[in-house]
């Protein structure tokens, strides 16, 4: 199959899902054309059958704003014709599906192509709900050939908010459990913590929705009971606020701010628990990657997280905003090696059994095939 995948290249789960899907589809012999305005940040290894297409964002002095949506549409129309693309898979309804629909319309007299839209989160839960975006998201969903959502939670939010005119398939996010596997790296662990200390990790793009200050506040309580260090991985708009809080709480010596990292397996491998404090998550891919590395997750009970984190079995789900409880449950795990290991093993089992990339890639391939065969979804 010849497939074009459009995604945001920036730090975030949707770009990761799109890139990892591209790798898996290419490995299975499909020709995959990844389309974005710069290299997606996990697109960092050479693999056969994947081609990257950079979308030039024109900045002509007459126009105050870059014309991102139509630049992508133009690039897609070109690739679909030159590479005989059968499927355009858009990650994010806005603007990518709009671009896909425009491209399809441009070439409709010479070539047929199907547009698949995968909804990830903010396009539905936050951005899509703003009144000025509602109609355009609705239009995108009604015009695309197929819609997938990364969780049941997002499925229900999408139906509630937009009532699309076609069925939605839930295809959850995935992890390559062969790559995301706990490694023994004592030398790396010692770079960040003493042998007597535990390591807590948080990975995100430091947006408001992630509530990273809650991680720092919970850590403040945890480190009073358990000698520990916190690894903060990622960067984003709230980073300065988080840094100020760290200084104010006098925690600078106990927290490592590591910035954006393309490979997190090593860091997850030396970590004891993963703290996630988002107020919503379409899915919560970073948590699944942690689980695959046997790191139990302690997080707020929001969005799609409860679909793969089993409270009291492979992680803990805490009512939103309850920082005391977040700390208490973290301490429970950090103070009991047997319990933490049990949770970690169970977490990996969950990842392998239900969310491995092999399993989920097949679902996308089945969807593409049904669309091309004209089956009713
Ligand atoms: O929509 C966003 O907030 C950004 C987006 C991204 O690009 O990372 O995150 C969403 O997509 C991820 C991949 O499917 C999900 O794992 C995240 O839960 C989801 N984020 C939110 O819903 C806040």
């Amino acid at each position: 199959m010849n497939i074009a995948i459009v995604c945001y290249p920036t730090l975030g789960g949707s770009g990761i899902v799109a890139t990892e899907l591209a790798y898996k589809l290419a490995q299975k012999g499909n020709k995959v054309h990844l389309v974005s305005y710069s290299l997606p940040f996990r697109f960092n290894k050479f693999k056969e059958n994947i081609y990257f297409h950079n979308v030039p964002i024109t900045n002509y002095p007459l126009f105050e704003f870059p014309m991102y949506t139509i630049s992508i549409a133009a690039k897609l129309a070109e690739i679909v014709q030159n590479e005989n693309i059968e499927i355009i898979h858009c990650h994010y309804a806005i603007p990518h599906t709009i671009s896909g629909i425009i491209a399809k319309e441009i070439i409709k007299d010479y070539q047929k192509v199907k547009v698949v839209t995968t909804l990830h989160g903010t396009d539905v839960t936050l951005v899509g709900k703003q009144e000025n975006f509602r109609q355009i998201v609705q239009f995108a969903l009604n015009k695309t050939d197929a819609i997938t959502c990364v969780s049941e939670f997002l499925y229900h939010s999408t139906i509630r908010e937009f009532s699309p005119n076609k069925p939605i398939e839930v295809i959850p996010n995935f992890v390559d459990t062969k790559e995301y596997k706990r490694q023994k790296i004592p030398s790396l662990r010692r770079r960040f913590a003493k042998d007597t200390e535990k390591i807590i990790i948080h990975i995100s793009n430091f947006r408001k929705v992630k509530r990273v200050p809650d991680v720092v506040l919970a850590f403040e309580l945890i480190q009073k009971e358990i000698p520990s260090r916190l690894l903060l991985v990622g960067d984003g708009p709230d980073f300065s606020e988080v840094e100020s809080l760290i200084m104010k709480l006098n925690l600078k010596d106990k927290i490592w701010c590591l910035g954006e990292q393309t490979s997190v397996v090593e860091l997850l491998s030396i970590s004891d628990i993963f703290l996630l404090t988002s107020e919503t998550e379409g899915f919560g891919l970073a948590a699944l990657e942690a689980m695959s590395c046997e790191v139990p997750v302690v997080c707020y009970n929001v969005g799609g997280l409860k679909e793969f984190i089993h409270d009291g079995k492979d992680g803990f789900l805490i009512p939103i905003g309850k920082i005391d409880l977040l700390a208490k449950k973290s301490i429970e795990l950090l103070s009991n090696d047997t319990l933490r290991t049990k949770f970690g093993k169970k977490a990996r089992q969950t990842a392998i059994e239900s969310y491995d990339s092999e399993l989920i890639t097949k679902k996308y391939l089945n969807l593409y095939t049904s669309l091309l065969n004209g089956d009713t979804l």
Side-chain angles (χ1 to χ4, degrees):
M1 227 179 269
N2 295 329
I3 305 153
I5 293 186
V6 194
C7 70
Y8 283 117
T10 42
L11 186 67
S14 61
I16 295 174
V17 169
T19 309
E20 298 289 349
L21 179 62
Y23 279 132
K24 286 308 273 188
L25 291 168
Q27 196 187 41
K28 292 184 180 303
N30 301 286
K31 292 226 174 334
V32 185
H33 296 263
L34 202 52
V35 180
S36 196
Y37 60 85
S38 73
L39 276 179
F41 92 118
R42 283 264 181 98
F43 188 62
N44 50 14
K45 44 194 179 219
F46 172 75
K47 296 281 175 196
E48 273 180 56
N49 292 335
I50 301 195
Y51 310 88
F52 174 69
H53 299 262
N54 190 51
V55 181
I57 306 293
T58 36
N59 251 333
Y60 186 64
L62 181 67
F63 308 123
E64 207 175 333
F65 301 104
M67 293 182 288
Y68 179 63
T69 308
I70 57 171
S71 300
I72 294 205
K75 178 58 85 179
L76 281 173
E78 177 191 308
I79 301 170
V80 169
Q81 293 172 95
N82 293 347
E83 307 294 343
N84 209 14
I85 298 290
E86 299 153 277
I87 298 281
I88 301 176
H89 189 164
C90 304
H91 292 263
Y92 250 82
I94 42 174
H96 296 152
T97 301
I98 301 294
S99 307
I101 293 164
I102 297 172
K104 180 176 172 176
E105 190 65 22
I106 294 171
I107 49 147
K108 72 168 191 244
D109 292 339
Y110 340 103
Q111 201 169 332
K112 298 279 168 266
V113 65
K114 297 285 183 189
V115 178
V116 174
T117 299
T118 290
L119 298 171
H120 286 272
T122 313
D123 42 1
V124 172
T125 53
L126 298 177
V127 181
K129 271 199 267 184
Q130 285 176 24
E131 270 322 297
N132 50 342
F133 280 115
R134 177 183 295 281
Q135 277 193 316
I136 195 94
V137 175
Q138 197 133 36
F139 172 81
L141 298 184
N142 287 341
K143 288 286 178 191
T144 188
D145 294 296
I147 310 170
T148 78
C149 280
V150 295
S151 64
E152 293 286 341
F153 158 78
L154 201 58
Y155 167 89
H156 291 295
S157 310
T158 309
I159 302 272
R160 201 171 49 243
E161 290 300 329
F162 301 105
S163 321
N165 63 358
K166 57 183 63 65
I168 302 177
E169 186 174 347
V170 175
I171 303 187
N173 283 341
F174 56 87
V175 60
D176 184 340
T177 56
K178 291 195 184 71
E179 189 184 337
Y180 279 73
K181 193 169 184 207
R182 198 167 183 84
Q183 306 169 357
K184 279 210 161 55
I185 351 181
S187 54
L188 183 68
R189 194 183 158 100
R190 270 183 226 116
R191 289 265 300 107
F192 295 108
K194 295 181 196 140
D195 288 347
T196 50
E197 290 173 325
K198 299 293 184 221
I199 297 183
I200 298 155
I201 190 166
H202 167 80
I203 305 176
S204 77
N205 49 17
F206 285 63
R207 291 188 302 142
K208 261 278 148 303
V209 69
K210 304 288 176 180
R211 293 174 66 132
V212 189
D214 286 18
V215 173
V216 177
L217 292 169
F219 176 69
E220 208 237 340
L221 299 173
I222 296 167
Q223 55 87 40
K224 284 182 182 152
E225 302 284 325
I226 306 272
S228 48
R229 302 279 167 146
L230 173 64
L231 308 184
L232 290 178
V233 183
D235 203 350
D238 275 8
F239 188 75
S240 304
E241 185 191 333
V242 171
E243 247 188 340
S244 307
L245 182 64
I246 294 171
M247 301 306 266
K248 190 173 139 204
L249 298 175
N250 209 12
L251 288 172
K252 196 171 174 357
D253 293 345
K254 297 193 173 166
I255 301 182
W256 294 89
C257 294
L258 300 175
E260 288 186 12
Q261 301 286 333
T262 47
S263 167
V264 290
V265 178
E266 293 85 352
L267 293 170
L268 288 169
S269 293
I270 60 164
S271 299
D272 296 299
I273 62 166
F274 186 100
L275 267 188
L276 188 64
T277 49
S278 313
E279 62 192 31
T280 184
E281 285 289 352
F283 184 86
L285 182 63
L288 180 65
E289 292 183 340
M291 290 169 69
S292 187
C293 293
E294 296 177 36
V295 186
V297 177
V298 182
C299 64
Y300 289 148
N301 189 3
V302 295
L305 288 164
K306 60 177 166 300
E307 290 166 37
F308 63 96
I309 296 171
H310 307 94
D311 187 40
K313 292 194 172 71
D314 55 18
F316 283 118
L317 296 165
I318 312 291
I320 187 164
K322 299 275 182 207
I323 295 174
D324 288 8
L325 209 51
L326 208 58
K328 189 172 163 223
K329 289 297 181 186
S330 300
I331 292 167
E332 194 175 319
L333 281 175
L334 293 169
S335 58
N336 184 340
D337 290 351
T338 314
L339 182 71
R340 199 178 59 256
T341 308
K342 188 173 142 203
F343 270 47
K345 298 265 179 239
K346 182 84 181 61
R348 178 157 171 82
Q349 193 187 338
T350 304
I352 291 175
E353 282 173 6
S354 308
Y355 300 96
D356 184 68
S357 48
E358 257 319 295
L359 206 70
I360 307 298
T361 306
K362 280 192 197 129
K363 293 185 191 258
Y364 280 115
L365 270 172
N366 288 344
L367 171 67
Y368 300 160
T369 309
S370 319
L371 268 181
L372 295 177
N373 290 343
D375 301 345
T376 334
L377 294 171

